[in-house]
Amino acid sequence: MHFTNLLIPALAAVFAGSASAQATPDGFAPAVNTTLDVYYGTTYISPGLLVKKSSVSKLPAIGLTGKNLTGKYLLAMIDIDAPSNNGGPRGTVLHALLTDFTPSGATQNGTALLTTKATGPASYFGPAPPAETPKHPHNYVFLLHEQPANFAVPQAHKQTVQSRFGIDWVKFIVDAKLTEPVAGNYLRVQSGDNTRRWVEW
Ligand SMILES: *[C@@H]1O[C@H](CO)[C@@H](O)[C@H](O)[C@H]1NC(C)=O
Ligand SMILES: *[C@@H]1O[C@H](CO)[C@@H](O)[C@H](O)[C@H]1NC(C)=O
Ligand SMILES: *[C@@H]1O[C@H](CO)[C@@H](O)[C@H](O)[C@H]1NC(C)=O
């Protein structure tokens, strides 16, 4: 009796703590603790949320809570669970690399929103993980960085950004002289999700 009364609040505190501490998947580098607010329409993405493919087909609204934003930011979205076609380790697919985000002045649910007119260097490409047996949900990681003046995709990454396959974000950060991410987040989509936009759920 005593034990359960003491343990439940203690465990709840541990889980609440771990949920808020990390906004990127376990083991992913760079690890980020500040959550990037991501909204697909009215759906708020809490880190790790499993969503339908059909609900994430368009670029989400992004922003930060409780920060005064200035300057320009760039956003990367990376699938870190792309199956290899020869049975090797899973690789990465770049789903977006968008520059020139600036504060829009608008808020959503307390989030100071960022907007961009840029559609590159890599336009938003919605998740579409192929079917696998057994099923394997893919993790799609969002990373927001301050954008250095005169930012350009480094030569060593141009091919990868164009093909979208095999992006190495840790190396990209070094080569493009980025600082640590300002914020991050991730969502998950089940492999083989074939939902269509018109399906109600
Ligand atoms: C994130 O939070 C954890 C736990 O508080 C801490 O150990 C880690 O250094 C933090 N990481 C970053 C990048 O701030
Ligand atoms: C508003 O943001 C909080 C996190 O800051 C989130 O938990 C909540 O689901 C969001 N609500 C809506 C309606 O977007
Ligand atoms: C944002 O800036 C305003 C005006 O300078 C200040 O009053 C406020 O405390 C700042 N908010 C944060 C979260 O830094």
Side-chain angles (χ1 to χ4, degrees), residues 53-58 194-201:
K53 167 183 154 179
S54 58
S55 66
V56 293
S57 61
K58 289 190 177 149
N194 271 324
T195 54
R196 297 281 181 271
R197 288 195 62 74
W198 60 81
V199 173
E200 295 292 330
W201 56 282

Side-chain angles (χ1 to χ4, degrees), residues 1-2 4 13 17 24 26 39 49 51 70-71 73 98 116 120 131 142 150 156 160 162 177 181:
M1 266 304 215
H2 260 112
T4 46
T24 43
D26 282 347
Y39 300 88
L49 188 69
V51 294
T70 54
Y73 298 83
L98 298 171
T116 185
F142 296 93
N150 305 318
T160 312
Q162 198 186 355
K177 300 186 167 54

Side-chain angles (χ1 to χ4, degrees), residues 81-83 90 129-138 191-192:
D81 290 287
R90 288 174 188 273
E132 277 186 69
T133 307
K135 287 181 184 230
H136 184 98
H138 288 209
S191 54

Side-chain angles (χ1 to χ4, degrees), residues 97-173:
L97 179 55
L98 298 171
T99 54
D100 299 339
F101 278 93
T102 54
S104 75
T107 59
Q108 176 169 350
N109 182 42
T111 302
L113 296 175
L114 292 162
T115 54
T116 185
K117 290 193 167 70
T119 55
S123 60
Y124 182 81
F125 177 77
E132 277 186 69
T133 307
K135 287 181 184 230
H136 184 98
H138 288 209
N139 291 280
Y140 297 83
V141 183
F142 296 93
L143 297 156
L144 185 76
H145 288 265
E146 285 175 7
Q147 183 175 318
N150 305 318
F151 168 79
V153 173
Q155 191 60 40
H157 300 268
K158 281 191 172 157
Q159 172 56 33
T160 312
V161 167
Q162 198 186 355
S163 72
R164 297 176 183 264
F165 291 104
I167 187 88
D168 179 343
W169 197 248
V170 168
K171 193 165 185 305
F172 190 101
I173 287 174

Side-chain angles (χ1 to χ4, degrees), residues 21 31-33 180:
V32 186
N33 290 341
E180 287 295 296

Side-chain angles (χ1 to χ4, degrees), residues 65-87:
T65 300
K67 284 233 167 79
N68 281 326
L69 303 172
T70 54
K72 287 185 180 175
Y73 298 83
L74 63 84
L75 175 75
M77 178 186 185
I78 302 169
D79 177 2
I80 60 168
D81 290 287
S84 83
N85 48 22
N86 60 11

